[in-house]
Amino acid sequence: MVDEIMDPWNSRPLDVHRWSEHPEVKVLVDGLWRKHFKDGKPNARGPKQKTSSKDQLRVLILDLYVAWKDDPDLCIGVSLSSNAWHAGSRYNALHISKKIIPIIQTLHDAGYLDKEEHQFWGKDHDRNRTTRIRASEKLQKLFRKAKFDYEDIGRAEGEEVIVLKNDKNKQIEYTDTPATNQMRKDLTAYTDLLGKTFIDIPDLQEPVIEIEDDDGDKTILKIGSQNTKTHRVFSRSSWDKHGRFYGGWWQRANSAIRARITIDDQPTVEVDFVGLHIAILYAEAGKELDFDPYSVSRKKMTAYPESMTRSLIKSLALIAINAKGKSQAYQALRNGAPVGSFMASITNKKLDKLLDAFLDRRPPLEGKLFTDQGIRLMHLDGQITSHILNHFTKQDIPVLSVHDSYLINCWKVAELRQAMADASKAIIGRPLATSIKLPGKEEYSFVSDYELQTYIENNLSPPRCDGYVTRLQAFEQRTGRDIGPYGDIGPE
């Protein structure tokens, strides 16, 4: 049964780590509990729970609230199968159990949830999905009356930040080692630092940005402390595969939006490694990548405009490094291209020609493409990022990671570039080239000290809209920090 018109594919999984001790959250949850759960039905049978049904109700209500604030049409995917709930899992810090199933059903029966039942078309079918729920209009009315807000909702203590997945991209349990314990300690320190840092966009009246994919589909992304929690993901049941950092909302924003980000009301500058994975492969071959990694000889590629050629080469190269085979890579390139674009229908023959032009200038990459290198290279760039983040976290300097690029307070650019050089030398064996990204500049173009200084001076005091100022003041009140106007802060 569908209660209201819902798009089940506009969804995300239930976040079992929402938590808040705000007194008004307790008021809302207690009211629902007394009215609909006073007979104790969710606790009627079974072993004693590590987390009470009432607290499980709190987690559910909080996540429904966050989803509603993010996007009123956003659904939450949740399994109503008892076998899907593992209260003892390391990925379930609050021990949410199958006892949440009757809670969901009770809320639905009472009219607080819109729900669409699960679908199962067959093993591994791409249309299989779990049940979808969202706050109904009745629950939304309670949310509107509630005397707490988005930023009053936090995360549960002990949430796992070091994630190991298997070949099917499913989280799996593991036994801790000194290495995993150290990674967790480092990442927890970094996350704690982000939690007491004001990361925002001064000209954004509402803390929402619109993300558009290559096909023109748009999604809403909420910025703020709810979307700064960072974790590392390792894959294929191995600590030597993958290991990148995920979680910050800035990772989903494009470079133009990232250029507007401030950290503690200070403008930022983004620095990235030049063609990181290609540069690593070069370094492993004892060579240095000292030119644009995606440029090709114009004599070999006269049929397309230079900018189009470079874009094609970049897309092809990145996919080829990650793919296990050529045909798979070519099809992935077409599938990922915008509908109706030239790239979406490009032939294998033309792609072969592009590939030949690419390899003609890059002999060290012969034999490295279409050999599943990506997941190994991501492990190396994850180690580089860890090195960089640890360096700055120990100094209480927040840095925002976007895999192979990093945003930092504009006064710290030189230190960041040195840290990137040191990190790549420590992990790869030699310092890798970096490039400053400024709005309007071509990728990997040279930025002089004068250009950087001019950019910083022109952006020292960006226009701050009322919404931004209100969020800054609320952050200061919530954290007890006095960030103050940017004009009082400058280079040390």
Side-chain angles (χ1 to χ4, degrees):
M1 173 184 175
V2 180
D3 300 80
E4 298 288 344
I5 297 175
M6 299 170 65
D7 177 6
W9 302 107
N10 177 25
S11 69
R12 62 160 174 78
L14 174 69
D15 189 331
V16 297
H17 293 105
R18 300 289 183 197
W19 193 251
S20 176
E21 296 286 353
H22 194 286
E24 293 299 328
V25 171
K26 187 175 185 299
V27 169
L28 174 59
V29 174
D30 284 353
L32 289 169
W33 185 261
R34 286 193 302 270
K35 187 173 183 178
H36 300 287
F37 301 94
K38 59 184 177 182
D39 60 355
K41 284 187 293 184
N43 283 325
R45 297 178 182 176
K48 184 177 180 180
Q49 300 163 255
K50 292 183 178 180
T51 300
S52 69
S53 290
K54 190 175 181 180
D55 281 345
Q56 296 196 47
L57 171 64
R58 184 188 305 208
V59 172
L60 177 62
I61 290 298
L62 289 174
D63 199 38
L64 287 164
Y65 178 87
V66 170
W68 171 68
K69 293 288 281 188
D70 283 345
D71 176 3
D73 294 325
L74 181 64
C75 301
I76 292 175
V78 58
S79 175
L80 300 186
S81 168
S82 297
N83 295 330
W85 297 94
H86 306 287
S89 170
R90 67 166 54 243
Y91 304 110
N92 189 353
L94 287 173
H95 310 291
I96 304 303
S97 70
K98 63 183 179 181
K99 299 296 184 180
I100 201 171
I101 298 173
I103 294 174
I104 292 170
Q105 191 58 53
T106 298
L107 289 178
H108 175 250
D109 292 344
Y112 293 104
L113 298 182
D114 296 329
K115 184 173 75 167
E116 185 166 308
E117 301 293 345
H118 76 283
Q119 286 186 348
F120 181 76
W121 297 93
K123 184 179 179 181
D124 298 325
H125 197 285
D126 62 4
R127 300 297 287 181
N128 292 343
R129 60 168 177 77
T130 57
T131 297
R132 301 297 197 251
I133 60 173
R134 70 181 180 193
S136 69
E137 180 57 34
K138 184 176 180 179
L139 184 56
Q140 290 179 35
K141 287 181 180 179
L142 295 182
F143 287 162
R144 294 186 189 101
K145 294 178 181 177
K147 297 179 181 179
F148 61 89
D149 204 352
Y150 193 86
E151 296 297 337
D152 294 318
I153 300 172
R155 313 289 305 175
E157 289 187 13
E159 179 181 1
E160 185 58 79
V161 294
I162 305 300
V163 178
L164 183 62
K165 293 186 175 183
N166 61 18
D167 290 350
K168 295 183 179 180
N169 203 35
K170 300 294 184 182
Q171 293 177 344
I172 59 175
E173 304 295 328
Y174 59 86
T175 301
D176 272 315
T177 66
T180 60
N181 287 332
Q182 186 62 51
M183 286 190 290
R184 187 178 298 106
K185 180 180 179 181
D186 292 342
L187 190 47
T188 299
Y190 173 69
T191 299
D192 289 346
L193 176 59
L194 293 185
K196 60 183 182 182
T197 302
F198 183 65
I199 306 165
D200 211 300
I201 298 176
D203 61 358
L204 209 58
Q205 184 64 28
E206 297 295 331
V208 172
I209 55 178
E210 191 174 69
I211 306 297
E212 184 174 348
D213 63 21
D214 290 337
D215 292 330
D217 295 328
K218 298 178 180 179
T219 57
I220 299 299
L221 175 61
K222 189 94 169 182
I223 73 171
S225 62
Q226 284 292 329
N227 292 317
T228 63
K229 185 75 174 184
T230 303
H231 61 281
R232 291 186 75 175
V233 178
F234 294 84
S235 300
R236 300 185 190 175
S237 307
S238 172
W239 298 112
D240 295 325
K241 302 290 191 298
H242 205 171
R244 278 184 162 182
F245 293 71
Y246 294 91
W249 60 262
W250 46 88
Q251 291 188 339
R252 294 182 57 194
N254 61 36
S255 59
I257 292 175
R258 294 198 301 270
R260 294 155 51 199
I261 291 175
T262 56
I263 295 177
D264 283 342
D265 202 33
Q266 301 184 54
T268 60
V269 171
E270 183 171 358
V271 183
D272 72 348
F273 283 106
V274 177
L276 181 55
H277 285 182
I278 294 176
I280 292 174
L281 292 173
Y282 260 69
E284 291 176 339
K287 305 290 184 180
E288 181 179 355
L289 180 66
D290 57 358
F291 54 89
D292 184 341
Y294 309 115
S295 64
V296 295
S297 170
R298 293 303 300 155
K299 294 180 179 179
K300 289 181 173 289
M301 300 300 301
T302 57
Y304 312 126
E306 187 171 357
S307 60
M308 176 186 286
T309 300
R310 188 184 185 282
S311 178
L312 285 168
I313 288 289
K314 182 175 181 179
S315 297
L316 176 59
L318 295 178
I319 287 178
I321 287 171
N322 285 276
K324 295 180 179 180
K326 182 187 288 190
S327 60
Q328 176 194 52
Y330 285 0
Q331 192 56 48
L333 180 71
R334 288 188 285 263
N335 291 343
V339 175
S341 67
F342 171 77
M343 198 183 301
S345 58
I346 191 169
T347 64
N348 286 359
K349 185 176 180 179
K350 290 180 179 178
L351 287 173
D352 281 338
K353 186 176 181 180
L354 283 167
L355 185 65
D356 289 342
F358 174 69
L359 289 175
D360 184 62
R361 291 197 66 189
R362 296 164 185 82
L365 299 185
E366 287 286 355
K368 298 295 185 180
L369 305 183
F370 314 114
T371 57
D372 196 23
Q373 292 282 329
I375 198 163
R376 179 185 70 85
L377 296 171
M378 284 190 284
H379 177 64
L380 294 173
D381 73 45
Q383 290 179 283
I384 291 172
T385 294
S386 178
H387 199 288
I388 294 166
L389 298 186
N390 289 344
H391 169 82
F392 286 105
T393 299
K394 291 174 182 176
Q395 303 178 63
D396 279 338
I397 299 173
V399 176
L400 310 184
S401 161
V402 195
H403 303 318
D404 61 351
S405 70
Y406 310 88
L407 282 82
I408 197 168
N409 165 354
C410 63
W411 305 111
K412 301 289 185 180
V413 174
E415 185 175 347
L416 172 59
R417 297 189 81 175
Q418 185 60 54
M420 292 168 71
D422 293 344
S424 54
K425 183 177 181 179
I427 304 303
I428 307 302
R430 65 169 65 196
L432 301 181
T434 59
S435 173
I436 296 173
K437 300 177 72 170
L438 294 184
K441 295 282 288 187
E442 294 292 330
E443 186 177 33
Y444 304 141
S445 58
F446 174 74
V447 174
S448 68
D449 291 343
Y450 174 77
E451 287 177 301
L452 176 60
Q453 185 65 30
T454 300
Y455 174 79
I456 292 173
E457 290 174 356
N458 289 339
N459 287 274
L460 280 181
S461 187
R464 295 165 175 82
C465 67
D466 292 343
Y468 174 86
V469 173
T470 298
R471 294 192 297 276
L472 174 56
Q473 292 172 340
F475 173 84
E476 290 179 323
Q477 183 176 7
R478 185 171 64 252
T479 61
R481 292 189 61 208
D482 183 12
I483 294 174
Y486 178 73
D488 294 340
I489 306 173
E492 296 177 359

